[in-house]
Structures are given as structure tokens and as C-alpha cells.
mmCIF file of all heavy atoms in Angstrom:
data_model
loop_
_atom_site.group_PDB
_atom_site.id
_atom_site.type_symbol
_atom_site.label_atom_id
_atom_site.label_comp_id
_atom_site.label_asym_id
_atom_site.label_seq_id
_atom_site.Cartn_x
_atom_site.Cartn_y
_atom_site.Cartn_z
ATOM 1 N N PRO A 1 54.679 -18.792 -120.099
ATOM 2 C CA PRO A 1 53.551 -18.783 -121.020
ATOM 3 C C PRO A 1 53.988 -18.253 -122.400
ATOM 4 O O PRO A 1 54.886 -17.414 -122.486
ATOM 5 C CB PRO A 1 52.560 -17.836 -120.342
ATOM 6 C CG PRO A 1 53.449 -16.874 -119.613
ATOM 7 C CD PRO A 1 54.619 -17.691 -119.120
ATOM 8 N N ALA A 2 53.284 -18.734 -123.431
ATOM 9 C CA ALA A 2 53.552 -18.177 -124.766
ATOM 10 C C ALA A 2 52.918 -16.793 -124.869
ATOM 11 O O ALA A 2 53.466 -15.897 -125.516
ATOM 12 C CB ALA A 2 52.962 -19.097 -125.813
ATOM 13 N N LYS A 3 51.772 -16.609 -124.185
ATOM 14 C CA LYS A 3 51.162 -15.297 -124.124
ATOM 15 C C LYS A 3 50.165 -15.283 -122.962
ATOM 16 O O LYS A 3 49.623 -16.300 -122.587
ATOM 17 C CB LYS A 3 50.447 -14.911 -125.413
ATOM 18 C CG LYS A 3 49.336 -15.846 -125.832
ATOM 19 C CD LYS A 3 48.787 -15.468 -127.188
ATOM 20 C CE LYS A 3 49.784 -15.691 -128.310
ATOM 21 N NZ LYS A 3 49.180 -15.455 -129.648
ATOM 22 N N VAL A 4 49.954 -14.086 -122.399
ATOM 23 C CA VAL A 4 48.965 -13.887 -121.350
ATOM 24 C C VAL A 4 48.189 -12.633 -121.691
ATOM 25 O O VAL A 4 48.798 -11.574 -121.985
ATOM 26 C CB VAL A 4 49.647 -13.706 -119.968
ATOM 27 C CG1 VAL A 4 48.597 -13.382 -118.894
ATOM 28 C CG2 VAL A 4 50.429 -14.950 -119.572
ATOM 29 N N PHE A 5 46.850 -12.732 -121.638
ATOM 30 C CA PHE A 5 45.992 -11.569 -121.890
ATOM 31 C C PHE A 5 45.554 -11.008 -120.550
ATOM 32 O O PHE A 5 45.543 -11.678 -119.522
ATOM 33 C CB PHE A 5 44.794 -11.969 -122.758
ATOM 34 C CG PHE A 5 45.176 -12.354 -124.153
ATOM 35 C CD1 PHE A 5 45.419 -13.671 -124.477
ATOM 36 C CD2 PHE A 5 45.279 -11.363 -125.136
ATOM 37 C CE1 PHE A 5 45.769 -14.014 -125.787
ATOM 38 C CE2 PHE A 5 45.625 -11.712 -126.432
ATOM 39 C CZ PHE A 5 45.884 -13.027 -126.758
ATOM 40 N N ASP A 6 45.130 -9.746 -120.577
ATOM 41 C CA ASP A 6 44.805 -9.083 -119.305
ATOM 42 C C ASP A 6 43.571 -9.621 -118.628
ATOM 43 O O ASP A 6 43.322 -9.301 -117.473
ATOM 44 C CB ASP A 6 44.712 -7.552 -119.511
ATOM 45 C CG ASP A 6 43.732 -7.147 -120.563
ATOM 46 O OD1 ASP A 6 42.864 -7.968 -120.925
ATOM 47 O OD2 ASP A 6 43.805 -6.015 -121.061
ATOM 48 N N GLY A 7 42.755 -10.410 -119.320
ATOM 49 C CA GLY A 7 41.593 -10.995 -118.663
ATOM 50 C C GLY A 7 41.808 -12.429 -118.231
ATOM 51 O O GLY A 7 40.881 -13.068 -117.718
ATOM 52 N N ASP A 8 43.012 -12.955 -118.401
ATOM 53 C CA ASP A 8 43.311 -14.349 -118.044
ATOM 54 C C ASP A 8 43.646 -14.465 -116.576
ATOM 55 O O ASP A 8 44.269 -13.600 -115.984
ATOM 56 C CB ASP A 8 44.488 -14.881 -118.856
ATOM 57 C CG ASP A 8 44.211 -14.998 -120.331
ATOM 58 O OD1 ASP A 8 43.037 -14.929 -120.717
ATOM 59 O OD2 ASP A 8 45.172 -15.184 -121.097
ATOM 60 N N GLU A 9 43.278 -15.608 -116.011
ATOM 61 C CA GLU A 9 43.787 -15.991 -114.707
ATOM 62 C C GLU A 9 45.197 -16.547 -114.910
ATOM 63 O O GLU A 9 45.384 -17.451 -115.724
ATOM 64 C CB GLU A 9 42.908 -17.036 -114.054
ATOM 65 C CG GLU A 9 41.600 -16.499 -113.519
ATOM 66 C CD GLU A 9 40.833 -17.564 -112.746
ATOM 67 O OE1 GLU A 9 41.320 -18.707 -112.691
ATOM 68 O OE2 GLU A 9 39.767 -17.240 -112.235
ATOM 69 N N ARG A 10 46.178 -16.039 -114.182
ATOM 70 C CA ARG A 10 47.519 -16.540 -114.345
ATOM 71 C C ARG A 10 47.663 -17.868 -113.578
ATOM 72 O O ARG A 10 47.430 -17.939 -112.374
ATOM 73 C CB ARG A 10 48.542 -15.525 -113.826
ATOM 74 C CG ARG A 10 48.490 -14.210 -114.585
ATOM 75 C CD ARG A 10 49.829 -13.503 -114.558
ATOM 76 N NE ARG A 10 50.236 -13.075 -113.235
ATOM 77 C CZ ARG A 10 49.973 -11.894 -112.712
ATOM 78 N NH1 ARG A 10 49.260 -11.032 -113.376
ATOM 79 N NH2 ARG A 10 50.406 -11.555 -111.522
ATOM 80 N N SER A 11 48.055 -18.911 -114.279
ATOM 81 C CA SER A 11 48.233 -20.217 -113.655
ATOM 82 C C SER A 11 49.701 -20.458 -113.382
ATOM 83 O O SER A 11 50.573 -20.118 -114.184
ATOM 84 C CB SER A 11 47.700 -21.326 -114.566
ATOM 85 O OG SER A 11 47.994 -22.590 -114.007
ATOM 86 N N HIS A 12 50.006 -21.062 -112.227
ATOM 87 C CA HIS A 12 51.382 -21.357 -111.858
ATOM 88 C C HIS A 12 51.694 -22.855 -111.986
ATOM 89 O O HIS A 12 52.668 -23.321 -111.467
ATOM 90 C CB HIS A 12 51.657 -20.897 -110.420
ATOM 91 C CG HIS A 12 51.585 -19.426 -110.262
ATOM 92 N ND1 HIS A 12 51.495 -18.805 -109.024
ATOM 93 C CD2 HIS A 12 51.577 -18.417 -111.159
ATOM 94 C CE1 HIS A 12 51.454 -17.500 -109.207
ATOM 95 N NE2 HIS A 12 51.492 -17.247 -110.479
ATOM 96 N N GLU A 13 50.835 -23.586 -112.699
ATOM 97 C CA GLU A 13 51.036 -25.020 -112.878
ATOM 98 C C GLU A 13 51.695 -25.267 -114.237
ATOM 99 O O GLU A 13 51.236 -24.790 -115.257
ATOM 100 C CB GLU A 13 49.716 -25.751 -112.809
ATOM 101 C CG GLU A 13 49.046 -25.657 -111.422
ATOM 102 C CD GLU A 13 47.740 -26.429 -111.383
ATOM 103 O OE1 GLU A 13 47.388 -27.062 -112.419
ATOM 104 O OE2 GLU A 13 47.097 -26.407 -110.322
ATOM 105 N N PHE A 14 52.806 -26.057 -114.206
ATOM 106 C CA PHE A 14 53.510 -26.387 -115.441
ATOM 107 C C PHE A 14 53.241 -27.845 -115.756
ATOM 108 O O PHE A 14 53.570 -28.733 -114.967
ATOM 109 C CB PHE A 14 55.017 -26.174 -115.280
ATOM 110 C CG PHE A 14 55.420 -24.763 -115.060
ATOM 111 C CD1 PHE A 14 56.619 -24.440 -114.432
ATOM 112 C CD2 PHE A 14 54.613 -23.708 -115.445
ATOM 113 C CE1 PHE A 14 57.010 -23.141 -114.227
ATOM 114 C CE2 PHE A 14 54.982 -22.397 -115.244
ATOM 115 C CZ PHE A 14 56.174 -22.102 -114.640
ATOM 116 N N GLY A 15 52.668 -28.140 -116.919
ATOM 117 C CA GLY A 15 52.478 -29.517 -117.367
ATOM 118 C C GLY A 15 53.262 -29.736 -118.652
ATOM 119 O O GLY A 15 53.462 -28.784 -119.431
ATOM 120 N N LEU A 16 53.737 -30.946 -118.871
ATOM 121 C CA LEU A 16 54.529 -31.264 -120.056
ATOM 122 C C LEU A 16 53.882 -32.379 -120.864
ATOM 123 O O LEU A 16 53.269 -33.283 -120.306
ATOM 124 C CB LEU A 16 55.954 -31.712 -119.660
ATOM 125 C CG LEU A 16 56.805 -30.720 -118.893
ATOM 126 C CD1 LEU A 16 58.133 -31.355 -118.497
ATOM 127 C CD2 LEU A 16 57.046 -29.468 -119.701
ATOM 128 N N THR A 17 54.075 -32.332 -122.177
ATOM 129 C CA THR A 17 53.660 -33.424 -123.040
ATOM 130 C C THR A 17 54.764 -34.474 -123.037
ATOM 131 O O THR A 17 55.854 -34.270 -122.495
ATOM 132 C CB THR A 17 53.431 -32.946 -124.467
ATOM 133 O OG1 THR A 17 54.676 -32.565 -125.072
ATOM 134 C CG2 THR A 17 52.499 -31.712 -124.492
ATOM 135 N N SER A 18 54.504 -35.597 -123.731
ATOM 136 C CA SER A 18 55.495 -36.670 -123.782
ATOM 137 C C SER A 18 56.703 -36.300 -124.637
ATOM 138 O O SER A 18 57.712 -37.017 -124.629
ATOM 139 C CB SER A 18 54.848 -37.959 -124.333
ATOM 140 O OG SER A 18 54.313 -37.712 -125.607
ATOM 141 N N SER A 19 56.655 -35.205 -125.388
ATOM 142 C CA SER A 19 57.809 -34.735 -126.152
ATOM 143 C C SER A 19 58.436 -33.506 -125.491
ATOM 144 O O SER A 19 59.164 -32.739 -126.107
ATOM 145 C CB SER A 19 57.437 -34.426 -127.594
ATOM 146 O OG SER A 19 56.445 -33.418 -127.642
ATOM 147 N N LEU A 20 58.162 -33.328 -124.197
ATOM 148 C CA LEU A 20 58.752 -32.238 -123.385
ATOM 149 C C LEU A 20 58.383 -30.854 -123.870
ATOM 150 O O LEU A 20 59.166 -29.928 -123.815
ATOM 151 C CB LEU A 20 60.284 -32.397 -123.327
ATOM 152 C CG LEU A 20 60.778 -33.599 -122.499
ATOM 153 C CD1 LEU A 20 62.291 -33.685 -122.574
ATOM 154 C CD2 LEU A 20 60.323 -33.485 -121.041
ATOM 155 N N LYS A 21 57.171 -30.711 -124.364
ATOM 156 C CA LYS A 21 56.630 -29.390 -124.682
ATOM 157 C C LYS A 21 55.656 -29.014 -123.577
ATOM 158 O O LYS A 21 54.933 -29.868 -123.044
ATOM 159 C CB LYS A 21 55.901 -29.404 -126.038
ATOM 160 C CG LYS A 21 56.811 -29.704 -127.214
ATOM 161 C CD LYS A 21 57.774 -28.582 -127.501
ATOM 162 C CE LYS A 21 58.566 -28.838 -128.778
ATOM 163 N NZ LYS A 21 59.454 -27.707 -129.135
ATOM 164 N N PHE A 22 55.622 -27.736 -123.218
ATOM 165 C CA PHE A 22 54.685 -27.299 -122.203
ATOM 166 C C PHE A 22 53.242 -27.437 -122.676
ATOM 167 O O PHE A 22 52.923 -27.107 -123.833
ATOM 168 C CB PHE A 22 54.930 -25.856 -121.797
ATOM 169 C CG PHE A 22 56.117 -25.676 -120.894
ATOM 170 C CD1 PHE A 22 57.281 -25.115 -121.361
ATOM 171 C CD2 PHE A 22 56.073 -26.080 -119.583
ATOM 172 C CE1 PHE A 22 58.386 -24.935 -120.514
ATOM 173 C CE2 PHE A 22 57.155 -25.941 -118.730
ATOM 174 C CZ PHE A 22 58.307 -25.345 -119.200
ATOM 175 N N LEU A 23 52.387 -27.940 -121.816
ATOM 176 C CA LEU A 23 50.963 -27.981 -122.125
ATOM 177 C C LEU A 23 50.391 -26.584 -122.164
ATOM 178 O O LEU A 23 50.780 -25.739 -121.344
ATOM 179 C CB LEU A 23 50.214 -28.815 -121.058
ATOM 180 C CG LEU A 23 50.489 -30.309 -121.033
ATOM 181 C CD1 LEU A 23 49.845 -30.912 -119.786
ATOM 182 C CD2 LEU A 23 49.946 -30.987 -122.276
ATOM 183 N N GLN A 24 49.496 -26.337 -123.068
ATOM 184 C CA GLN A 24 48.784 -25.059 -123.109
ATOM 185 C C GLN A 24 47.599 -25.138 -122.146
ATOM 186 O O GLN A 24 46.630 -25.843 -122.411
ATOM 187 C CB GLN A 24 48.326 -24.735 -124.523
ATOM 188 C CG GLN A 24 49.464 -24.529 -125.491
ATOM 189 C CD GLN A 24 50.411 -23.423 -125.077
ATOM 190 O OE1 GLN A 24 49.977 -22.318 -124.740
ATOM 191 N NE2 GLN A 24 51.715 -23.703 -125.072
ATOM 192 N N ILE A 25 47.740 -24.500 -120.990
ATOM 193 C CA ILE A 25 46.711 -24.609 -119.954
ATOM 194 C C ILE A 25 45.558 -23.658 -120.303
ATOM 195 O O ILE A 25 45.779 -22.469 -120.589
ATOM 196 C CB ILE A 25 47.294 -24.229 -118.584
ATOM 197 C CG1 ILE A 25 48.426 -25.241 -118.251
ATOM 198 C CG2 ILE A 25 46.221 -24.270 -117.499
ATOM 199 C CD1 ILE A 25 49.178 -24.869 -117.000
ATOM 200 N N SER A 26 44.337 -24.171 -120.283
ATOM 201 C CA SER A 26 43.187 -23.334 -120.564
ATOM 202 C C SER A 26 42.982 -22.324 -119.441
ATOM 203 O O SER A 26 43.236 -22.614 -118.281
ATOM 204 C CB SER A 26 41.948 -24.190 -120.746
ATOM 205 O OG SER A 26 41.667 -24.933 -119.567
ATOM 206 N N THR A 27 42.521 -21.153 -119.813
ATOM 207 C CA THR A 27 42.336 -20.098 -118.807
ATOM 208 C C THR A 27 40.916 -19.570 -118.867
ATOM 209 O O THR A 27 40.231 -19.671 -119.885
ATOM 210 C CB THR A 27 43.310 -18.908 -119.067
ATOM 211 O OG1 THR A 27 43.073 -18.418 -120.389
ATOM 212 C CG2 THR A 27 44.756 -19.348 -118.926
ATOM 213 N N THR A 28 40.486 -19.026 -117.751
ATOM 214 C CA THR A 28 39.165 -18.381 -117.687
ATOM 215 C C THR A 28 39.336 -16.900 -117.893
ATOM 216 O O THR A 28 40.097 -16.260 -117.176
ATOM 217 C CB THR A 28 38.519 -18.652 -116.312
ATOM 218 O OG1 THR A 28 38.397 -20.059 -116.112
ATOM 219 C CG2 THR A 28 37.134 -18.022 -116.242
ATOM 220 N N ARG A 29 38.625 -16.352 -118.833
ATOM 221 C CA ARG A 29 38.711 -14.925 -119.132
ATOM 222 C C ARG A 29 37.493 -14.210 -118.531
ATOM 223 O O ARG A 29 36.359 -14.646 -118.702
ATOM 224 C CB ARG A 29 38.840 -14.677 -120.617
ATOM 225 C CG ARG A 29 40.151 -15.230 -121.146
ATOM 226 C CD ARG A 29 40.380 -14.925 -122.607
ATOM 227 N NE ARG A 29 41.697 -15.386 -122.995
ATOM 228 C CZ ARG A 29 42.156 -15.357 -124.216
ATOM 229 N NH1 ARG A 29 41.397 -14.898 -125.189
ATOM 230 N NH2 ARG A 29 43.382 -15.799 -124.490
ATOM 231 N N HIS A 30 37.785 -13.134 -117.835
ATOM 232 C CA HIS A 30 36.743 -12.454 -117.069
ATOM 233 C C HIS A 30 36.015 -11.377 -117.885
ATOM 234 O O HIS A 30 34.951 -10.933 -117.501
ATOM 235 C CB HIS A 30 37.349 -11.819 -115.814
ATOM 236 C CG HIS A 30 38.028 -12.815 -114.931
ATOM 237 N ND1 HIS A 30 37.345 -13.753 -114.218
ATOM 238 C CD2 HIS A 30 39.343 -13.029 -114.654
ATOM 239 C CE1 HIS A 30 38.181 -14.500 -113.532
ATOM 240 N NE2 HIS A 30 39.414 -14.069 -113.775
ATOM 241 N N ARG A 31 36.621 -10.951 -118.989
ATOM 242 C CA ARG A 31 36.009 -9.865 -119.745
ATOM 243 C C ARG A 31 35.644 -10.364 -121.133
ATOM 244 O O ARG A 31 36.361 -11.145 -121.734
ATOM 245 C CB ARG A 31 36.973 -8.673 -119.885
ATOM 246 C CG ARG A 31 37.344 -8.058 -118.539
ATOM 247 C CD ARG A 31 38.140 -6.747 -118.763
ATOM 248 N NE ARG A 31 39.310 -6.985 -119.591
ATOM 249 C CZ ARG A 31 39.502 -6.431 -120.778
ATOM 250 N NH1 ARG A 31 38.605 -5.645 -121.315
ATOM 251 N NH2 ARG A 31 40.605 -6.661 -121.474
ATOM 252 N N LYS A 32 34.556 -9.872 -121.680
ATOM 253 C CA LYS A 32 34.147 -10.215 -123.046
ATOM 254 C C LYS A 32 34.662 -9.206 -124.047
ATOM 255 O O LYS A 32 34.593 -9.435 -125.258
ATOM 256 C CB LYS A 32 32.622 -10.323 -123.125
ATOM 257 C CG LYS A 32 32.057 -11.437 -122.277
ATOM 258 C CD LYS A 32 30.548 -11.542 -122.428
ATOM 259 C CE LYS A 32 29.989 -12.695 -121.574
ATOM 260 N NZ LYS A 32 28.515 -12.803 -121.707
ATOM 261 N N ALA A 33 35.157 -8.078 -123.582
ATOM 262 C CA ALA A 33 35.687 -7.058 -124.477
ATOM 263 C C ALA A 33 36.999 -7.567 -125.061
ATOM 264 O O ALA A 33 37.582 -8.537 -124.584
ATOM 265 C CB ALA A 33 35.936 -5.760 -123.700
ATOM 266 N N PRO A 34 37.511 -6.933 -126.141
ATOM 267 C CA PRO A 34 38.779 -7.354 -126.732
ATOM 268 C C PRO A 34 39.887 -7.411 -125.671
ATOM 269 O O PRO A 34 40.023 -6.516 -124.840
ATOM 270 C CB PRO A 34 39.055 -6.269 -127.781
ATOM 271 C CG PRO A 34 37.703 -5.767 -128.146
ATOM 272 C CD PRO A 34 36.905 -5.818 -126.879
ATOM 273 N N GLN A 35 40.700 -8.439 -125.757
ATOM 274 C CA GLN A 35 41.731 -8.651 -124.746
ATOM 275 C C GLN A 35 42.994 -7.861 -125.098
ATOM 276 O O GLN A 35 43.379 -7.770 -126.266
ATOM 277 C CB GLN A 35 42.091 -10.137 -124.660
ATOM 278 C CG GLN A 35 40.913 -11.042 -124.338
ATOM 279 C CD GLN A 35 40.578 -10.985 -122.878
ATOM 280 O OE1 GLN A 35 41.367 -11.337 -122.015
ATOM 281 N NE2 GLN A 35 39.373 -10.546 -122.586
ATOM 282 N N GLY A 36 43.633 -7.312 -124.068
ATOM 283 C CA GLY A 36 44.931 -6.689 -124.263
ATOM 284 C C GLY A 36 46.027 -7.691 -123.894
ATOM 285 O O GLY A 36 45.867 -8.462 -122.956
ATOM 286 N N LYS A 37 47.105 -7.702 -124.657
ATOM 287 C CA LYS A 37 48.169 -8.687 -124.414
ATOM 288 C C LYS A 37 49.119 -8.147 -123.349
ATOM 289 O O LYS A 37 49.804 -7.159 -123.533
ATOM 290 C CB LYS A 37 48.928 -8.968 -125.699
ATOM 291 C CG LYS A 37 49.730 -10.256 -125.671
ATOM 292 C CD LYS A 37 50.427 -10.506 -127.006
ATOM 293 C CE LYS A 37 49.423 -10.748 -128.083
ATOM 294 N NZ LYS A 37 50.080 -11.012 -129.386
ATOM 295 N N LEU A 38 49.162 -8.847 -122.213
ATOM 296 C CA LEU A 38 49.981 -8.442 -121.100
ATOM 297 C C LEU A 38 51.400 -9.018 -121.178
ATOM 298 O O LEU A 38 52.365 -8.345 -120.824
ATOM 299 C CB LEU A 38 49.307 -8.910 -119.779
ATOM 300 C CG LEU A 38 49.855 -8.409 -118.453
ATOM 301 C CD1 LEU A 38 49.756 -6.901 -118.347
ATOM 302 C CD2 LEU A 38 49.097 -9.060 -117.314
ATOM 303 N N VAL A 39 51.523 -10.264 -121.624
ATOM 304 C CA VAL A 39 52.822 -10.933 -121.751
ATOM 305 C C VAL A 39 52.875 -11.674 -123.073
ATOM 306 O O VAL A 39 51.911 -12.324 -123.469
ATOM 307 C CB VAL A 39 53.057 -11.950 -120.613
ATOM 308 C CG1 VAL A 39 54.453 -12.578 -120.723
ATOM 309 C CG2 VAL A 39 52.879 -11.304 -119.237
ATOM 310 N N GLN A 40 53.998 -11.548 -123.781
ATOM 311 C CA GLN A 40 54.219 -12.285 -125.031
ATOM 312 C C GLN A 40 55.597 -12.911 -124.994
ATOM 313 O O GLN A 40 56.587 -12.256 -124.681
ATOM 314 C CB GLN A 40 54.133 -11.340 -126.232
ATOM 315 C CG GLN A 40 54.462 -11.972 -127.562
ATOM 316 C CD GLN A 40 53.422 -12.973 -128.006
ATOM 317 O OE1 GLN A 40 52.235 -12.628 -128.185
ATOM 318 N NE2 GLN A 40 53.790 -14.231 -128.157
ATOM 319 N N GLY A 41 55.653 -14.223 -125.281
ATOM 320 C CA GLY A 41 56.942 -14.936 -125.288
ATOM 321 C C GLY A 41 57.456 -15.163 -126.702
ATOM 322 O O GLY A 41 56.699 -15.284 -127.656
ATOM 323 N N TYR A 42 58.801 -15.212 -126.831
ATOM 324 C CA TYR A 42 59.442 -15.416 -128.118
ATOM 325 C C TYR A 42 60.662 -16.340 -127.937
ATOM 326 O O TYR A 42 61.217 -16.402 -126.833
ATOM 327 C CB TYR A 42 59.971 -14.104 -128.697
ATOM 328 C CG TYR A 42 58.956 -12.996 -128.886
ATOM 329 C CD1 TYR A 42 58.717 -12.081 -127.873
ATOM 330 C CD2 TYR A 42 58.240 -12.871 -130.060
ATOM 331 C CE1 TYR A 42 57.790 -11.055 -128.019
ATOM 332 C CE2 TYR A 42 57.316 -11.851 -130.238
ATOM 333 C CZ TYR A 42 57.111 -10.939 -129.207
ATOM 334 O OH TYR A 42 56.189 -9.953 -129.365
ATOM 335 N N GLY A 43 61.074 -17.021 -129.006
ATOM 336 C CA GLY A 43 62.397 -17.628 -128.987
ATOM 337 C C GLY A 43 62.458 -19.140 -128.965
ATOM 338 O O GLY A 43 63.534 -19.710 -128.800
ATOM 339 N N VAL A 44 61.326 -19.872 -129.168
ATOM 340 C CA VAL A 44 61.371 -21.312 -129.194
ATOM 341 C C VAL A 44 62.266 -21.795 -130.336
ATOM 342 O O VAL A 44 62.226 -21.242 -131.451
ATOM 343 C CB VAL A 44 59.959 -21.913 -129.339
ATOM 344 C CG1 VAL A 44 60.001 -23.420 -129.560
ATOM 345 C CG2 VAL A 44 59.128 -21.578 -128.103
ATOM 346 N N LEU A 45 63.106 -22.795 -130.061
ATOM 347 C CA LEU A 45 64.069 -23.397 -131.000
ATOM 348 C C LEU A 45 65.175 -22.433 -131.414
ATOM 349 O O LEU A 45 65.772 -22.573 -132.486
ATOM 350 C CB LEU A 45 63.351 -23.955 -132.225
ATOM 351 C CG LEU A 45 62.331 -25.073 -131.946
ATOM 352 C CD1 LEU A 45 61.763 -25.619 -133.260
ATOM 353 C CD2 LEU A 45 62.942 -26.201 -131.130
#
């Protein structure tokens, strides 16, 4: 994932676009309060 917030459901499904980029999978957030960032990815290209 590019990022995961603490209210997100973690999905284990990987989808790709026709240019071999990962699809951004929509997530259900359980809290309405400000989200804390649990995971952040870096380094594309």
C-alpha cells in the first residue's frame, strides 16, 4: 500500500492497471475522528 490509516480495513487483494500500476483499493474506515497513519510507503521510480 502507498499508505494505511488506523481506521482502514487492510485488504490483501492486489489489482493492476493496464500499465502495471497497483490499483488503489477503496477501504472502509470505521472511525470519523482524524485518522492516524499506520503505514506509509516511499520510493516509486
Side-chain angles (χ1 to χ4, degrees):
K3 61 184 67 174
V4 176
F5 293 93
D6 55 18
D8 294 346
E9 286 186 357
R10 299 207 294 269
S11 174
H12 294 166
E13 295 181 2
F14 296 157
L16 300 176
T17 69
S18 58
S19 60
L20 290 177
K21 297 290 186 176
F22 282 108
L23 292 171
Q24 296 302 311
I25 299 174
S26 60
T27 58
T28 301
R29 294 186 175 173
H30 301 291
R31 297 188 305 117
K32 295 182 179 180
Q35 302 283 297
K37 198 179 295 181
L38 189 62
V39 183
Q40 175 69 61
Y42 303 91
V44 172
L45 300 184

